[in-house]
Amino acid sequence: MPPDTGELALQRRTRAHYEAYPFEFLTPGDEASIERMQPPPFIRFISRYAAPGMSVAELGCGPGRGTMYLGQNCLDVTALDLSRSSLELARSRAPQARYVEASNLALPFPDASFDLVISDGVIHHTPDAYRSFCENVRVLKPGGYYYLGVYNRNRYYYYLYTFLGAPLRQVEQFRLGQAAIYMTVFPVYYAAHLLKSRGKRTLRGARNFFYDYIMTPRASFHGRDEIEGWASRNRLDLVDYDPSLGNVHVFTLRKRLGNPGPL
Ligand SMILES: C[S@@+](CC[C@H](N)C(=O)[O-])C[C@H]1O[C@@H](n2cnc3c(N)ncnc32)[C@H](O)[C@@H]1O
């Protein structure tokens, strides 16, 4: 079924948002030791399930933090994102990968194309997280592994995005509102960020975090049971669950052999 105009409009706003504020926070020092910048469950996933030469789809690669790491592990990487400016940043960091500008809602790949599929912090920004999930599963080979990081409905961030973020996103639609947010709310966020990162976060990095967490036009939140329901409907087995990152929980799922598609 073709997406309705509401969905297209939301996706256009999301694209424009990440064009202006790509999820970019790496310093040259971070790039030089990129493993340090990966979430521990992601490092674990790669060390357990990846082998040199495997085909990997990184769906919603952003500016290439994960793409660089995948390339260093000698994987054959296809990286996709909705945002061209994010893809350009990623390409400059990991030129060996293939880059595709497209939506997670309609992946331009045949069924069963990849040994591994990675989606870290992406499907919850799409207009329909479940459809994106199904698309990710469709392009995974039977027997392949799927790394999924998604916002946890049961963490405080849901309340922050919903109750603090909603009025700010309204105000931001006006030019004066944008300036007011940047001069009042953002400095508070930046100060908190500096404290948390012990002075390591740059102004640009903090700004992009702020716009990703609070101002992004779309964020949906999902409990463990919901994701497990999606997994069983799509004939996937849960092989690992990690809630330790806080607002994002991580699922490692395996597509069953002989999987004929969703139930
Ligand atoms: C929070 S960033 C995560 C980037 C990267 N995975 C990481 O962990 O560094 C979310 C990314 O999802 C992308 N995105 C949002 N909606 C999308 C869609 N419908 N299709 C593909 N990518 C999308 C954004 O452009 C952005 O780069």
Side-chain angles (χ1 to χ4, degrees):
M1 198 171 61
D4 66 33
T5 47
E7 191 172 85
L8 281 178
L10 180 54
Q11 199 163 255
R12 264 198 301 276
R13 280 170 45 219
T14 300
R15 177 187 283 118
H17 177 86
Y18 285 101
E19 288 301 348
Y21 308 107
F23 190 57
E24 164 65 348
F25 53 88
L26 298 179
T27 65
D30 296 335
E31 288 183 42
S33 50
I34 200 66
E35 179 164 340
R36 190 166 53 79
M37 303 309 292
Q38 309 303 321
F42 187 53
I43 295 180
R44 213 166 50 234
F45 177 87
I46 295 302
S47 70
R48 283 189 187 155
Y49 306 116
M54 273 186 173
S55 59
V56 184
E58 192 192 10
L59 304 172
C61 61
R65 175 175 57 124
T67 328
M68 269 185 100
Y69 182 62
L70 294 168
Q72 283 179 1
N73 281 274
C74 303
L75 296 161
D76 176 19
V77 184
T78 299
L80 173 143
D81 204 282
L82 193 60
S83 147
R84 188 172 298 177
S85 62
S86 298
L87 288 167
E88 276 161 15
L89 282 162
R91 193 193 304 276
S92 69
R93 292 191 164 123
Q96 76 286 356
R98 253 181 313 280
Y99 289 95
V100 179
E101 184 183 336
S103 170
N104 198 158
L105 290 178
L107 296 173
F109 310 120
D111 297 357
S113 296
F114 301 100
D115 297 306
L116 304 174
V117 166
I118 287 149
S119 169
D120 191 7
V122 179
I123 65 170
H124 49 227
H125 292 306
T126 73
D128 185 335
Y130 179 61
R131 244 173 59 215
S132 296
F133 178 93
C134 293
E135 272 295 89
N136 294 353
V137 174
R138 180 183 66 74
V139 301
L140 181 64
K141 291 180 186 171
Y145 289 89
Y146 176 24
Y147 177 95
L148 175 68
V150 67
Y151 285 146
N152 191 338
R153 172 65 181 79
N154 301 311
R155 292 297 176 115
Y156 74 88
Y157 173 57
Y158 165 75
Y159 300 97
L160 207 61
Y161 180 81
T162 307
F163 299 109
L164 171 71
L168 293 179
R169 289 189 294 279
Q170 289 296 325
V171 171
E172 205 221 4
Q173 290 174 21
F174 307 96
R175 194 160 285 178
L176 213 62
Q178 289 168 10
I181 289 169
Y182 196 71
M183 286 185 305
T184 57
V185 185
F186 173 65
V188 177
Y189 181 89
Y190 183 39
H193 226 69
L194 273 179
L195 276 177
K196 206 171 157 201
S197 69
R198 299 202 191 99
K200 286 198 198 113
R201 189 71 71 212
T202 62
L203 180 68
R204 182 191 59 153
R207 184 198 70 153
N208 291 336
F209 263 104
F210 175 73
Y211 281 88
D212 180 63
Y213 286 160
I214 309 291
M215 308 306 287
T216 189
R218 167 77 178 163
S220 57
F221 299 83
H222 307 277
R224 177 177 179 171
D225 289 352
E226 185 182 9
I227 301 293
E228 289 193 11
W230 294 0
S232 71
R233 242 188 284 163
N234 283 269
R235 304 175 206 262
L236 304 170
D237 293 316
L238 177 70
V239 291
D240 192 30
Y241 172 70
D242 190 335
S244 67
L245 298 180
N247 291 315
V248 167
H249 47 168
V250 175
F251 299 78
T252 299
L253 301 159
R254 182 169 183 265
K255 188 171 180 176
R256 284 178 210 147
L257 291 169
N259 187 333
L263 294 171

